[in-house]
Amino acid sequence: MKRFILLAVILVFGTTTTLSAQEVKEVATESIEARLAKTEKRTAKLEKLKQYVALSGFIQGEYDWIDNGTNGKTTTTSSFYIRRLRFTVAGYLYKGKAGKLDYRVYLDLARIKNPNPNPILDMWVRYQPVKEFGVQFGQFKDPITFEAGISPAKYDFIDFSYAVCNLAKMGSNDVAGLNVTARDMGFQLFGGFIHREGYSILNYNVGVLNGNGINAKDNNKSKDIFARLTVKPTKDFALAAYYQWGEANLSHFSAEKYAEYGWSGNPEYVATHRWGGGFEYDSTKAFARGEYIAGLTGALASEGVYIEGGKKFNLPKNSGMLWAGGMVDYFCRNCFDYIHRDTKNAAIDMRYSLCVGYTPFKYLRIQLAYSLEHKINQTLSNNRHFGNGVKLMVTGAF
């Protein structure tokens, strides 16, 4: 009898213990499932937020060593400095069956200094209901040239070509005196036809710009009108031709410079026409690019051409990518007179550059460039100017 009672107690206790363990296990399982559900919900919210707001940017530090020689005299400079500090906020306000609506705000904090205290480079909204048609409004890059459209954080060479810097408002030597990183305010229509996976074969850009640069209202009644046609036979290769008609207010030039360039009439409506074309090839193994750009700025006719190319090497064991390339760069100010053998005002710039770069991972780029410059100023009786330069640039991105 005692044995029976003891066995019954053991069975009851064991059953109770088993049920308690199962209940605990069920409660624990429910808790894990609930946590996973909450995590998935948070992840979905975060991904949705990333669609609306994506943050990125980069900083570029540079060291320059420049040796200039003019008429037997040599001037050497050496300096470290922060070249760019840029920050981007971008995203899609809508992405669905009715198309895509996106925006971009692009700042350069290194520009917070005189004479360019405003750091805003891009601020635009773009809507593309179908691949064949889209519209962009705001402040954005003028799309006429290949090179000006490349981000400095991804450009294979440290310095952009003379042609783009002088005729596409890219640098401080711009013929029209507009150092605005090739940007302007206005709107454009764009799209593509004959679609392939990841690209379209036939593409167009047509638009209207103030023609007065960034962060400023137009200062005359004229507008710049541009058109570009791009053909991409393959995903890696493109051909383009472009034209831009414009009139700029060049009252900021001195009367002496205005007369030197042979401009006449109202300085508020000086012709700034640009035209040209080129090719671009960029793959995982190599890159090549070349363009011819010409322009008429008042009576000043100028032209430039560059060709560049190089080889990419993917290093073993995921240790990054190495590349090396070369560029030949030519620009002639008032060159049409030079061609017609009236050389009194012609100025010719030639540059030969070599560049090597290393990307150990996608957030870091290290570039080293050497350039040999040759300048001929016909105004100063064939004054010849030779210079050498070595530049080291490090780009950190996020």
Side-chain angles (χ1 to χ4, degrees), residues 23-296:
E23 289 174 358
V24 171
K25 186 176 181 180
E26 289 175 0
V27 170
T29 302
E30 290 175 0
S31 177
I32 292 172
E33 290 175 351
R35 289 175 183 176
L36 286 174
K38 288 181 181 179
T39 302
E40 289 176 357
K41 191 176 291 186
R42 289 173 184 170
T43 302
K45 288 182 179 179
L46 183 60
E47 290 300 321
K48 192 172 183 179
L49 180 62
K50 285 182 178 180
Q51 174 183 312
Y52 296 121
V53 181
L55 307 178
S56 62
F58 66 90
I59 182 171
Q60 289 181 323
E62 187 167 320
Y63 169 75
D64 292 353
W65 180 89
I66 300 174
D67 182 31
N68 290 322
T70 306
N71 294 330
K73 297 181 180 180
T74 300
T75 303
T76 303
T77 60
S78 173
S79 179
F80 290 98
Y81 64 102
I82 300 299
R83 184 162 180 173
R84 299 177 182 94
L85 176 55
R86 297 190 175 180
F87 184 76
T88 304
V89 182
Y92 286 95
L93 300 174
Y94 172 80
K95 194 174 183 181
K97 294 182 179 180
K100 297 181 292 185
L101 176 65
D102 62 332
Y103 73 95
R104 174 181 166 97
V105 179
Y106 188 37
L107 309 176
D108 188 352
L109 302 183
R111 293 178 67 90
I112 304 179
K113 58 183 180 179
N114 290 327
N116 297 305
N118 197 323
I120 299 174
L121 298 182
D122 288 345
M123 186 176 286
W124 51 256
V125 176
R126 180 174 59 186
Y127 176 56
Q128 189 173 16
V130 292
K131 292 182 178 180
E132 292 78 14
F133 175 79
V135 59
Q136 184 177 17
F137 180 80
Q139 182 168 288
F140 52 87
K141 269 195 174 182
D142 189 333
I144 64 170
T145 70
F146 280 122
E147 192 180 68
I150 304 172
S151 168
K154 298 180 180 179
Y155 186 52
D156 302 299
F157 294 84
I158 294 177
D159 290 326
F160 289 87
S161 68
Y162 284 143
V164 168
C165 289
N166 282 272
L167 293 174
K169 305 174 186 176
M170 190 69 182
S172 58
N173 294 323
D174 180 74
V175 174
L178 295 172
N179 179 15
V180 293
T181 66
R183 290 170 167 86
D184 216 314
M185 300 184 71
F187 77 92
Q188 69 164 325
L189 307 177
F190 65 92
F193 300 93
I194 315 176
H195 309 299
R196 297 291 184 266
E197 185 176 353
Y199 71 101
S200 299
I201 293 178
L202 189 63
N203 306 270
Y204 70 92
N205 299 78
V206 180
V208 178
L209 302 171
N210 279 341
N212 193 39
I214 59 176
N215 306 318
K217 291 183 178 180
D218 202 352
N219 56 3
N220 63 17
K221 295 180 180 179
S222 294
K223 297 291 179 285
D224 284 16
I225 302 170
F226 68 84
R228 166 174 163 164
L229 180 65
T230 306
V231 179
K232 295 194 69 172
T234 68
K235 187 176 182 178
D236 299 330
F237 181 68
L239 296 165
Y242 36 80
Y243 181 83
Q244 182 165 327
W245 183 96
E247 285 184 337
N249 186 335
L250 300 185
S251 301
H252 55 276
F253 280 119
S254 64
E256 292 78 10
K257 190 168 186 179
Y258 198 77
E260 176 189 343
Y261 286 165
W263 299 334
S264 60
N266 189 343
E268 296 182 2
Y269 296 94
V270 178
T272 53
H273 310 326
R274 305 287 184 261
W275 62 91
F279 74 93
E280 182 177 52
Y281 174 79
D282 193 4
S283 71
T284 58
K285 296 182 179 180
F287 64 91
R289 190 177 299 108
E291 291 185 88
Y292 169 81
I293 308 171
L296 187 65

Side-chain angles (χ1 to χ4, degrees), residues 62-68 156-159 162 324-329 350-357 367-374 386-393:
E62 187 167 320
Y63 169 75
D64 292 353
W65 180 89
I66 300 174
D67 182 31
N68 290 322
D156 302 299
F157 294 84
I158 294 177
D159 290 326
Y162 284 143
M327 176 170 67
V328 179
D329 194 5
M350 290 289 299
R351 180 170 58 188
Y352 310 90
S353 303
L354 297 174
C355 183
V356 294
Q367 295 168 265
L368 178 65
Y370 167 78
S371 62
L372 172 64
E373 297 182 347
H374 180 201
F386 291 92
N388 294 274
V390 177
K391 296 188 176 185
L392 173 67
M393 186 165 71

